Amino acid sequence: MKDFYRLADLKNWEEPRIRLGVVGDPVRQSRSPAMMNAALQACCLEMEYARFQISPDELAEALPLFVAHNFIGLNFTIPHKIAATARMDELDEFARTVGAINTARIDNGKLLGSTTDGPGFAQAIREEFALELRGLHILLLGAAGGAGRAIAQQCALEGCARLVLANRDFSKAERMAVDLGVEAIEWARIESLGKLDLAVNATPVAFERKVGAEYFYDLSYLRAVSSSHSANGLSMLLHQGALAFEKWFERAAPIEVMRAALAGRA
Ligand code: NAP
């Protein structure tokens, strides 16, 4: 298997064992193949999961090729989560509300879109900090991105006590805040927020500023963790991946095998 495949490879497809993959730009950094291939092997599913380097202007051409080559499912990562939503044949109710997807199941030639980022995030917060979203005061940075939207909906769904949305393009955060009935804050003013339970970084850039949050969760799993009250996105990667596996195969995911593969123990 190659490190990653491109649109040109899909047009001339010669890898029938590959039936699943992650689509992104860039995608080389993705750790999903290690986790998913360990899960496939543990469940004796004779197929493989690969990376696909597809740019935004190639996405429309790439999607029907995955269908034509008998793929079972896909994951979408930065920057495709919002654009891919419009290219699905069907969306589940949560994905329709969120307006972003990270998972597609291919069934009878149809692309069925859903998002496991929201529940995967909730499970990660439970596991990392022993916290439920319900009742928390939360600041969400990058709220209008694909993952940010899913997390905002999940926080609202689970009844957090206060949700403050921040986004580089403030007008997007403002629109979302109206729809969700929560607050939006300008990026420059986030230090002025009072005491918070949890700050979440759903942008691709490191967040160095001081906000009054007891816990900090950074969705990127490439950045190191600095204290026991902060965690990076590896736990969310695991849980959103396990939920995607369950959507594709309608069976429980071998979560400890996937965890070990991500930790490099497999
Ligand atoms: P996305 O849809 O492209 O959204 C990016 C978000 O970040 C938008 O809110 C964007 O603001 C903001 N942003 C981009 N560059 C910025 C900058 N220089 N300064 C401030 N804000 C900036 O991306 P995504 O798919 O949601 O992914 C976002 C991050 O989460 C990535 O690092 C991704 O790897 C990570 N992620 C991790 C997991 C996991 O399982 N651990 C799952 C999903 C995502 P604008 O709206 O103003 O452009």
Side-chain angles (χ1 to χ4, degrees):
M1 201 199 298
K2 289 194 204 174
D3 232 19
F4 59 84
Y5 295 85
R6 294 184 181 274
L7 181 60
D9 299 309
L10 276 174
K11 287 181 179 169
N12 240 321
W13 194 235
E14 290 174 343
E15 300 269 20
R17 275 184 65 81
I18 298 176
R19 310 273 306 278
L20 297 147
V22 56
V23 181
D25 181 18
V27 80
R28 182 178 246 147
Q29 78 294 344
S30 173
R31 288 166 73 175
S32 292
M35 163 176 83
M36 292 299 191
N37 284 320
L40 291 169
Q41 219 175 2
C43 296
C44 300
L45 293 162
E46 291 186 4
M47 60 185 80
E48 287 171 352
Y49 181 109
R51 298 182 188 89
F52 291 87
Q53 168 66 45
I54 302 290
S55 68
D57 59 351
E58 293 172 336
L59 187 68
E61 201 178 345
L63 288 175
L65 294 172
F66 289 112
V67 177
H69 299 321
N70 232 357
F71 273 59
I72 287 174
L74 297 170
N75 288 128
F76 297 98
T77 187
I78 196 166
H80 298 309
K81 289 186 176 188
I82 296 172
T85 309
R87 305 211 163 269
M88 296 292 111
D89 296 302
E90 287 173 29
L91 293 172
D92 73 11
E93 203 184 320
F94 191 61
R96 212 172 309 124
T97 315
V98 168
I101 57 168
N102 72 340
T103 302
R105 187 160 71 91
I106 300 169
D107 196 9
N108 272 326
K110 283 192 166 169
L111 284 157
L112 314 176
S114 58
T115 176
T116 64
D117 276 341
F121 167 77
Q123 185 58 25
I125 295 300
R126 208 170 281 133
E127 189 175 285
E128 297 281 7
F129 306 133
L131 288 177
E132 295 297 326
L133 297 177
R134 183 171 195 80
L136 294 187
H137 292 226
I138 300 173
L139 167 64
L140 176 56
L141 305 151
R149 289 181 192 207
I151 289 172
Q153 286 288 344
Q154 192 72 29
C155 291
L157 186 77
E158 296 202 15
C160 67
R162 185 182 185 201
L163 179 58
V164 186
L165 308 179
N167 201 68
R168 179 176 58 176
D169 176 345
F170 180 56
S171 64
K172 295 186 198 166
E174 269 184 312
R175 276 198 299 277
M176 280 179 69
V178 171
D179 289 347
L180 284 170
V182 300
E183 297 166 58
I185 190 163
E186 284 171 33
W187 201 262
R189 293 186 49 242
I190 51 179
E191 275 99 346
S192 69
L193 284 167
K195 197 177 159 316
L196 297 157
D197 299 304
L198 175 66
V200 181
N201 182 16
T203 79
V205 291
F207 181 73
E208 312 284 355
R209 287 162 58 187
K210 282 264 166 288
V211 287
E214 193 171 346
Y215 294 91
F216 177 65
Y217 193 82
D218 190 341
L219 260 63
S220 168
Y221 49 84
L222 303 172
R223 289 191 279 269
V225 176
S226 55
S227 80
S228 63
H229 279 206
S230 63
N232 75 15
L234 208 58
S235 44
M236 178 170 159
L237 181 71
L238 171 67
H239 291 294
Q240 62 78 34
L243 292 166
F245 185 97
E246 288 171 10
K247 284 190 187 289
W248 296 327
F249 297 110
E250 294 176 338
R251 61 185 284 178
I255 193 133
E256 293 313 323
V257 169
M258 296 169 84
R259 192 192 303 276
L262 279 180
R265 287 186 269 116

